[in-house]
Amino acid sequence: MKKTWWKESVVYQIYPRSFCDSNGDGVGDLPGISSKLDHLKTLGVNVVWLSPVYKSPNDDNGYDISDYRAIMDEFGTMADFDTMLAGMHERGIKLVMDLVVNHTSDEHAWFQEAKKSRDNPYHDYYIWREAKDGREPNNWEAAFSGSAWQWNEATGEYFLHMFSKKQPDLNWENPKVRAEVFEMMHFWFKKGVDGFRMDVINMISKPCAADGSLPDAPVIRPGFLQPGFMMVTNGPKLLDHLAEMKREVLAKYDCMSVGEAPLATIKQGVEITNEETGSLNMLFQFEHMDLDSIGGHMMGKWAYKPLELHDLKATMTRWQNALDGRGWNSLYLSNHDQPRPVSRFGDDKQYRVESAKMLGTFLHFMQGTPYVYQGEEIGMTNVRFATIEEYQDIESVNMYREAVNDRHMKPAEVLESIYAKGRDNARTPLQWDASANACFTSGKPWLKLNPNYREVNAAQALADPDSVFHYYRRLIALRKANPVMVYGHYALILAEHPEIYAYTRTLEGDRLLVVCNFSGNTPMFKLPADINFGAAELVIANLDVASGTDLRALMLRPWESRVYRLR
Ligand code: NOJ
């Protein structure tokens, strides 16, 4: 396996709107990020993935871009961007931008032209279909509720939008679209950025029927629109488009690329991230994010069920094994679209600190590149706002309206699913200290803070040597010092244990044992007899450990995690 900087890196994701506001308008901004770079430096991360900062009407908080080469007004200016980038580079931190090119905003100049007439030169930049029997061309539901099709009066046809109706999907079959995207990527590379995270990149090639139609999705919810995602991911041209992007752009720079890929299979993971023949460095696959939904991705994410540890073991292990020596994994439990991991998979009350550290251990010792989402490093938790009016996320708000108005669900029941899965859980402003609004803003925050900021905040975490922050700092430092953490071969042990997730990592005679208790109970850990060792040296633990512990029979405390080096 080749050694590269992006395999050895730990990435920190910034969601700029919620990170730090420098001018009191209640919205995080680029100068705010610049003012907090030492926080990242102290943590030890060496790459930042910055969620979109481009000009946008903010229907989906910047994932609806109206100008790919300009900075969003609320976030600052291009000069602020250059200052921020220089500040990162001075600290040895690389910058990965968000590339959102499955769709644009409907306010993008291309779409403004495209919608004018069928013979407009930009018309074919987007995906249009005739009405079918006077209605939408098919039964697809958009990710943010409602039909995936929107009528355009001027041309008398529908356009496709897999997200909101202000996010029309681009037509990647049109070579001009691809050329525009590639040129725009060069623009950012020439400014000095170090790579791209690619939004829903496996949706850029849509599988059409032979006649060019986009067929109905299978009916799994009779009487309603049907989830359309499986109909628009992994189309026949996906690998060609990515190969072209690699040839035309990525191969020309020493850069990092990570593709967001809902519904990605292992086969695609291997194909796309293959060191020799693949086009991207790694993918964000979603299998482990779907494990706590009834029916997985098929029924959508809102039908919550508790995670079964067996499922997590099976999924993670399949990806670890399949990509070992062939491709590369990204490792994440958290981002701006997911609930907070300590609330989702840990215990955000009595054992908040312990379980946050355990989850960090579980993830950072696996093979792949770990991602830390802002606030994860201080153990931020989910939030429960009393009314839907306090939520901002288009996905949650639209889902709520549809569930209550059209499906006649009880508001309290719908709110419960937002508490469990809503994206605003991850988007409440970063909690910097215990002062008003956690020092995120001097004005009125665009989204309310999590009221626990007086106890859970960065200032507290920095001052407390036992905090989640200092534990993450140690995890990140260990990764830099121990090639086995990056490159070692993964092997699951105790596959059947319902509460303990344990595995080894091995690289040329160096072997680590990782033991994580995913419960508030006190299960017994017994190292399998076929794992031979002379001595076990503690590498890191989230609780105090007495010396001379017997690995053949070890009673774990709630949410305990330990890592040993076996000699
Ligand atoms: C995935 C992004 O992570 C999410 O925030 C966004 O809403 C959709 N793609 C659409 O761009």
Side-chain angles (χ1 to χ4, degrees):
M1 205 187 294
K2 277 193 211 131
K3 304 211 155 160
T4 64
W5 61 264
W6 45 264
K7 290 180 181 167
E8 293 169 17
S9 292
V10 175
V11 183
Y12 186 91
Q13 184 194 349
I14 293 182
Y15 192 67
R17 210 174 177 76
S18 304
F19 191 68
C20 180
D21 172 23
S22 72
N23 62 359
D25 67 356
V27 174
D29 49 37
L30 301 183
I33 296 174
S34 290
S35 74
K36 295 293 186 187
L37 292 178
D38 286 334
H39 177 79
L40 308 188
K41 177 83 186 153
T42 311
L43 186 58
V45 295
N46 45 335
V47 176
V48 162
W49 152 26
L50 186 61
S51 278
V53 294
Y54 316 96
K55 205 171 189 64
S56 163
N58 282 307
D59 196 48
D60 184 20
N61 291 351
Y63 282 90
D64 49 320
I65 296 168
S66 53
D67 184 347
Y68 289 105
R69 297 175 196 224
I71 300 294
M72 189 190 302
D73 293 337
E74 290 164 304
F75 288 175
T77 63
M78 195 56 93
D80 294 330
F81 178 86
D82 293 337
T83 306
M84 178 196 72
L85 178 59
M88 289 180 181
H89 284 169
E90 271 159 31
R91 290 168 180 81
I93 298 173
K94 294 183 192 278
L95 177 62
V96 165
M97 300 288 278
D98 218 309
L99 184 76
V100 187
V101 289
N102 173 68
H103 44 269
T104 66
S105 163
D106 66 338
E107 297 183 29
H108 192 290
W110 300 339
F111 191 76
Q112 290 296 312
E113 285 299 312
K115 69 178 190 183
K116 285 183 182 161
S117 68
R118 291 192 183 205
D119 55 12
N120 187 284
Y122 288 93
H123 187 258
D124 195 36
Y125 273 42
Y126 294 88
I127 300 173
W128 305 90
R129 290 292 184 278
E130 304 291 339
K132 196 171 152 194
D133 307 326
R135 293 191 54 112
E136 289 80 8
N138 66 30
N139 65 359
W140 298 354
E141 181 181 50
F144 300 154
S145 306
S147 170
W149 297 96
Q150 181 67 23
W151 180 250
N152 181 49
E153 200 55 56
T155 58
E157 57 193 339
Y158 286 92
F159 67 86
L160 178 69
H161 63 88
M162 290 313 298
F163 295 90
S164 95
K165 60 175 188 276
K166 286 184 65 62
Q167 292 168 296
D169 280 46
L170 280 166
N171 175 19
W172 273 70
E173 302 307 300
N174 181 346
K176 286 193 201 141
V177 167
R178 305 200 297 272
E180 297 257 23
V181 168
F182 299 157
E183 214 181 291
M184 176 267 284
M185 293 171 76
H186 283 298
F187 168 84
W188 287 100
F189 276 126
K190 286 187 183 129
K191 285 192 81 65
V193 311
D194 304 286
F196 286 102
R197 172 268 185 189
M198 303 178 183
D199 195 67
V200 288
I201 200 66
N202 63 340
M203 285 172 53
I204 59 175
S205 166
K206 317 286 196 255
C208 293
D211 63 357
S213 71
L214 293 166
D216 275 343
V219 176
I220 57 174
R221 295 185 311 210
F224 292 101
L225 292 165
Q226 307 303 319
F229 266 105
M230 75 291 250
M231 308 302 291
V232 292
T233 42
N234 314 320
K237 300 275 187 59
L238 175 63
L239 296 182
D240 292 347
H241 293 337
L242 293 178
E244 186 182 352
M245 182 192 281
K246 178 181 179 184
R247 197 172 59 241
E248 296 297 324
V249 189
L250 299 172
K252 304 186 177 180
Y253 304 93
D254 175 22
C255 65
M256 170 177 151
S257 56
V258 48
E260 187 201 28
L263 307 189
T265 60
I266 295 250
K267 183 169 168 280
Q268 284 157 348
V270 174
E271 271 169 355
I272 294 176
T273 72
N274 184 283
E275 292 212 336
E276 305 303 330
T277 53
S279 298
L280 304 181
N281 298 149
M282 55 193 125
L283 293 183
F284 290 126
Q285 61 86 14
F286 276 66
E287 282 182 18
H288 62 308
M289 292 286 109
D290 291 331
L291 298 176
D292 57 354
S293 302
I294 297 168
H297 62 265
M298 292 298 283
M299 296 300 286
K301 69 186 209 179
W302 298 107
Y304 173 76
K305 72 169 172 113
L307 175 78
E308 289 280 344
L309 191 59
H310 284 131
D311 294 341
L312 185 66
K313 288 182 187 181
T315 298
M316 298 304 283
T317 302
R318 280 194 311 117
W319 280 89
Q320 287 285 299
N321 291 343
L323 267 55
D324 190 4
R326 264 168 263 168
W328 195 248
N329 270 297
S330 65
L331 305 170
Y332 76 100
L333 288 176
S334 190
N335 62 41
H336 65 292
D337 294 331
Q338 300 295 337
R340 293 283 181 184
V342 67
S343 301
R344 186 179 191 180
F345 304 124
D347 173 350
D348 64 5
K349 302 201 169 56
Q350 187 181 354
Y351 294 109
R352 183 184 68 85
V353 170
E354 292 81 353
S355 60
K357 292 176 181 175
M358 182 281 286
L359 291 167
T361 312
F362 157 74
L363 200 72
H364 283 244
F365 276 90
M366 290 207 173
Q367 190 188 73
T369 299
Y371 288 72
V372 180
Y373 174 66
Q374 68 183 40
E376 179 186 334
E377 78 281 18
I378 56 169
M380 278 177 63
T381 65
N382 281 356
V383 74
R384 294 169 72 92
F385 294 137
T387 63
I388 192 66
E389 284 69 37
E390 290 159 281
Y391 285 89
Q392 297 286 347
D393 175 25
I394 181 170
E395 184 189 42
S396 296
V397 170
N398 287 0
M399 184 280 287
Y400 179 93
R401 269 200 220 115
E402 196 189 81
V404 172
N405 298 340
D406 304 348
R407 302 190 194 190
H408 309 295
M409 288 175 69
K410 291 200 189 83
E413 196 186 322
V414 183
L415 275 177
E416 276 307 323
S417 58
I418 294 176
Y419 296 155
K421 290 293 188 66
R423 305 194 296 182
D424 280 343
N425 281 312
R427 299 176 180 185
T428 59
L430 197 84
Q431 297 164 197
W432 291 105
D433 68 23
S435 68
N437 286 325
C439 198
F440 160 72
T441 180
S442 57
K444 184 172 181 294
W446 72 277
L447 173 66
K448 275 174 57 177
L449 280 96
N450 189 319
N452 69 7
Y453 72 83
R454 292 208 167 71
E455 302 84 60
V456 180
N457 61 64
Q460 181 284 330
L462 265 122
D464 173 4
D466 288 330
S467 67
V468 179
F469 181 89
H470 287 296
Y471 190 85
Y472 263 66
R473 201 170 53 71
R474 287 170 60 206
L475 285 175
I476 294 166
L478 280 168
R479 194 160 243 274
K480 289 188 187 149
N482 291 281
V484 62
M485 268 177 89
V486 179
Y487 297 106
H489 170 70
Y490 161 101
L492 181 72
I493 59 172
L494 305 183
E496 300 305 322
H497 201 292
E499 290 171 324
I500 300 174
Y501 194 135
Y503 59 92
T504 58
R505 298 287 308 282
T506 310
L507 183 72
E508 292 156 8
D510 191 9
R511 176 179 272 189
L512 300 178
L513 167 69
V514 182
V515 180
C516 296
N517 179 8
F518 267 76
S519 80
N521 303 327
T522 54
M524 190 64 91
F525 171 80
K526 291 189 178 131
L527 188 68
D530 59 348
I531 299 189
N532 294 316
F533 65 100
E537 170 198 316
L538 190 69
V539 176
I540 191 166
N542 67 346
L543 301 173
D544 289 336
V545 172
S547 58
T549 324
D550 180 5
L551 286 183
R552 302 279 178 208
L554 183 68
M555 192 191 296
L556 295 175
R557 289 160 286 177
W559 305 102
E560 181 164 10
S561 61
R562 301 185 187 192
V563 180
Y564 287 95
R565 173 164 271 121
L566 303 180
R567 296 201 189 276

